[in-house]
Amino acid sequence: MYMRIIRKDLKRKKTMNIILLMFVILSAMFVASSVNNIAAVSGGLDHYFEEAGMADYYILSQKTDGRDSVEELLKSSENAKSYRRDDVIYTTEDNFKRNGKKLMEYSNISILQSLSDSKFKFFDKNNNAVKNVESGKMYITGAAANRSGLQVGDKFTLEIGDINMEFEFAGVLKDAFLGAEMMGNPRMLVSDEDLKKIANDDFARQYNSGSVYYIETDNLKALQSEISDAENVYLMIDNDTVKLSYFMNMIVAVIILILSIGLIIVSFVVLRFTIGFTIAEEFREIGVMKAIGLKNNSIRLIYLTKYFFIAFIGAFIGYFLNIPFGKMLIKSVSDDMVLENKNSQITEILCCIFVVAVILFFSWSCTGKIKKLSPIDAVRSGQTGERFRKKSILHLGKTRLNSTAFLALNDVISQPKQFSVITFIFAICTVFVMVLSVTANTLGSEKMLKLLGITKSDVYFMDSKRITDVISGAKNDEETIKEISDILAQNDMPASVYMEEWYNLSVTANDTKYKVTFVWCEDTKTTDYTYTKGSAPKYENEVALSEVLAEKMDVNIGDTLIINIDGEDKKFIVTALFQSIMQTGTIGRLSPEFKIPNKLMTGAVAYQINFDDGPNEKIISERIEKLKDIFDNKKNIYDARGFINAVTGVSDTIKSVRNFVLLISLIVIILIAVLMERSFISKESSEIALMKAIGFKNGSIMLQHTGRFLVSVILAQLVAAGLCVPLLILFIEPIFSTMGATAGIEYQFNVLEQFVIYPLIIMATVVISAFLTAVYTKTIKAQDTANIE
């Protein structure tokens, strides 16, 4: 008998059962993919680093006359438990050509090495370990390869010294150490045979050979102090700082994590509401079953069996749908990282089982109301006829609204429970898009220049060739600056040119040595930069430190540092603190009054160009296009915003994620609007029939139903606008803080985009979905008022 009742119920209530099935499918899909992604993201970096064989400390050094001072220090170090060394050849963007033009454009040195020579583990785009590189082929880290549009099988040449070799692109390389966008040092893998040919070239051996060290230690601070005097070092960095280089990737990961949690909450809230809604609607069936003698527990068992069947089918379908959905959700994060949950299938199956269990729990909870129903409720249409409170605060006679608008607003106010659920879902979907929009705009705004510690310029030219020439000693900074200035003048664009130069110097503070990157620029004033405490360095013996670096060295304003410059110890006074996300927040600034030997320079970000005639943005954009042709550099010449995006490497990614989240939100919103409106029509069929009987037209009823959703979505936009800033402070600001922005950041709000365009898109989606679904009310006739099935 029970099964016959269930079969008939499934056939008779097709619409509501299909609605519930769709919610179950969505819930299973969201929960399985989201939990799987949360597991992958939360332990993502640790898992990736463990798989790659990362160490505690890393050094990139250059050999001079075959001598490597780093290895000499490591051999005598008491704090280096062990170390691994990769022999490499340093290259620049000018060494790689395709059809006579640059293959890739990047601003720093790149690293060329063989796979078998490495003590490190690399991965391809499918997260499989790279175990072999054929002769004539080359793997390249993802960021550089993707920007150049390289496809597997593409041919290009490597030109260095007397070497001119053709290579075929073998695929994207995932490199845990240097693979983050912020590291800016692409790594290329070739075969042993090919590397030997390159390393045997006299020019490459003399000017381009170097080493990458992976060091294990139990006392990192002592090790850093021991090797702080190493010469010809490009980079010294610990494992925790390497993790911070994935800061921009992790912003996206955290956003995906928050989105996943939001989807889980939305799916369960809607599911709980839908089950309660459908059971509450079946007062007639429950009353009849009680009238023929069925007990409460027997009736509850019927509903539990029915919902178990729906839940099982929905979870089964949701399990298979979650696989592509989950991959799509996390794709933007995993391009540079190996993010995977080893037990993903088990996790997904357990999540689907969990969804079934939750549905049964909701069903058992909701069917508790069956005890209060009696056979007479079937006759009274579920009403007792008694009400001891006002249904609404609105009165038709006291309002200026027409009857349709009044009914819509009155329905929302008099049924706060069901419409608050809808409002909550719309608000969650909207606030996600708002937060992502603000984050993307902030990361791409000129306000970020302050966090980068760089002044505003008309043009930023990231020329790795000229910068490398200065570092190697082939030229000095004045020569390269004059070259660029002369070229600009010859092309009727006279300008001043300068660059922020980096110097890795040994610093002693509180009897402990550190290797610190200092920024120095002779052509700017220290007062051009922003400081959180103190006053800008003015004299040659004054210096400013980032707050993170000052805390690390346990120094403050007024303290004295001893900095070793070209073998000579000099005393400097700390006069100011600032915040920066460059070098993961551990950086200092020297006064331009101090004359530092150019030969000690270890890096720079870009040549900065300020035109003499002060052109507007339109003219600057036109000149940038000309400069790209003049310097044969299509991708490394930017205006301020383009430069910021090039350095952070994530603004465009977050915009893509924002658009993806907007798409997901709109899909969820359409489903919610359509399914909830269809549920309301099914529940209110007798009321709709009565309205038609007393003279309401189809159009008025459709507008009333649509108006209810319009009120809900307007309230949702107001709630989302109020939550936007608190959620930015709660979720986004801590991420910037870990990168060095300890004093907070200035958010870039685009009021038109965030509080007008996106809310209007969401409102239009809700209204159109609800209106098109409300068309179904036309099928209900006036005579249906007497229909009790």
Side-chain angles (χ1 to χ4, degrees), residues 280-296:
E281 186 194 3
E282 296 183 354
F283 56 85
R284 187 177 297 116
E285 291 83 350
I286 295 169
V288 170
M289 284 190 284
K290 284 198 171 185
I292 62 175
L294 291 178
K295 303 297 183 183
N296 287 326

Side-chain angles (χ1 to χ4, degrees), residues 484-614:
I484 296 173
S485 298
D486 290 345
I487 292 172
L488 292 170
Q490 291 166 11
N491 288 274
D492 299 322
M493 293 181 281
S496 61
V497 182
Y498 62 91
M499 65 176 170
E500 303 272 3
E501 301 175 6
W502 292 3
Y503 295 83
N504 286 339
L505 305 174
S506 179
V507 179
T508 303
N510 298 319
D511 298 322
T512 303
K513 285 186 176 182
Y514 303 87
K515 201 75 168 182
V516 176
T517 298
F518 284 92
V519 182
W520 177 83
C521 183
E522 190 175 19
D523 299 300
T524 61
K525 299 176 182 178
T526 50
T527 52
D528 294 338
Y529 305 90
T530 303
Y531 303 91
T532 55
K533 295 178 184 177
S535 56
K538 182 178 180 182
Y539 302 105
E540 65 175 28
N541 67 332
E542 295 181 343
V543 67
L545 301 178
S546 69
E547 292 195 346
V548 174
L549 180 60
E551 183 179 352
K552 180 179 179 180
M553 297 195 300
D554 193 23
V555 297
N556 211 326
I557 294 173
D559 290 343
T560 300
L561 305 177
I562 298 174
I563 304 178
N564 186 281
I565 300 174
D566 201 19
E568 183 181 354
D569 288 342
K570 295 181 179 291
K571 290 185 178 180
F572 289 81
I573 299 173
V574 179
T575 64
L577 301 180
F578 61 93
Q579 60 175 1
S580 173
I581 63 171
M582 296 298 282
Q583 295 289 300
T584 61
T586 55
I587 200 167
R589 176 170 290 281
L590 296 168
S591 168
E593 298 298 319
F594 181 76
K595 305 303 178 184
I596 188 167
N598 198 209
K599 66 180 181 179
L600 301 179
M601 178 178 155
T602 56
V605 180
Y607 290 93
Q608 295 178 233
I609 300 170
N610 289 311
F611 297 111
D612 292 346
D613 56 351

Side-chain angles (χ1 to χ4, degrees), residues 26 198 211 221 224 445 461 551 597 604 669 682-683 711 720 770:
L26 285 176
I198 300 166
S211 303
K221 194 172 183 179
Q224 290 173 317
S445 74
F461 179 20
E551 183 179 352
I669 285 169
S682 177
K683 177 186 177 184
V711 172

Side-chain angles (χ1 to χ4, degrees), residues 678 681-682 685 688-689 692 698 701-702 773-784 787:
R678 189 64 186 84
I681 293 172
S682 177
S685 57
I688 295 169
K692 288 188 176 184
N698 284 323
I701 296 172
M702 290 163 59
T773 310
V775 172
Y776 186 76
T777 57
K778 290 183 178 181
T779 63
I780 299 174
K781 309 299 180 184
Q783 55 267 32
D784 291 335
N787 181 18

